[in-house]
Amino acid sequence: SQARWILPATGSPLRDMAEQLFTGRGILRPVVSVEYSSFHQMRYVIAGSQLIGLLPTSVALQGEAQGDIARLSPAERARFAPISLISRQDFEQPPVVRQFEAIVLRAARDLGQA
């Protein structure tokens, strides 16, 4: 927690999860040197600095594949509550909403969450 960190902005879901990872284990919250709202911007700042950050797996894998960041795997995996998708059923959803729902459901099935 005492390293220099780059994290999403205060109040964002990933920032809250990151802080819970530390406080849930009785560790002080990380010292945040930089806050960003874009994961891709965070990736490039991490690549060009000595900062540590939390990124979605897809973004971290891109950086690792391009050789500009190294992923660190924790000894203990974090467990978070599932993310829900809620939609109204009393009227026809626009095609873009139906397509988004299908993508989310497919991703959940791939992750064993649906």
Side-chain angles (χ1 to χ4, degrees):
S1 72
Q2 295 177 5
R4 293 181 54 223
W5 287 78
I6 178 171
L7 290 176
T10 301
S12 66
L14 187 57
R15 175 67 173 267
D16 293 342
M17 288 181 203
E19 291 179 349
Q20 288 173 11
L21 285 172
F22 290 91
T23 58
R25 290 168 176 78
I27 302 171
L28 293 176
R29 291 180 178 180
V31 176
V32 179
S33 297
V34 180
E35 288 186 349
Y36 266 97
S37 58
S38 164
F39 293 125
H40 292 286
Q41 288 176 336
M42 285 176 61
R43 175 190 150 202
Y44 290 112
V45 172
I46 291 168
S49 70
Q50 296 295 314
L51 298 172
I52 298 173
L54 296 176
L55 295 170
T57 302
S58 60
V59 176
L61 289 173
Q62 287 174 345
E64 186 177 51
Q66 292 182 2
D68 58 3
I69 64 172
R71 284 189 319 131
L72 306 173
S73 297
E76 180 182 330
R77 300 234 3 131
R79 298 185 57 84
F80 298 108
I83 296 173
S84 300
L85 177 64
I86 301 170
S87 64
R88 292 182 57 173
Q89 298 298 316
D90 59 343
F91 69 92
E92 182 69 22
Q93 298 290 343
V96 68
V97 173
R98 289 194 313 265
Q99 183 179 12
F100 177 72
E101 288 175 339
I103 291 168
V104 170
L105 290 171
R106 186 171 39 247
R109 277 193 295 277
D110 291 348
L111 294 171
Q113 301 294 317

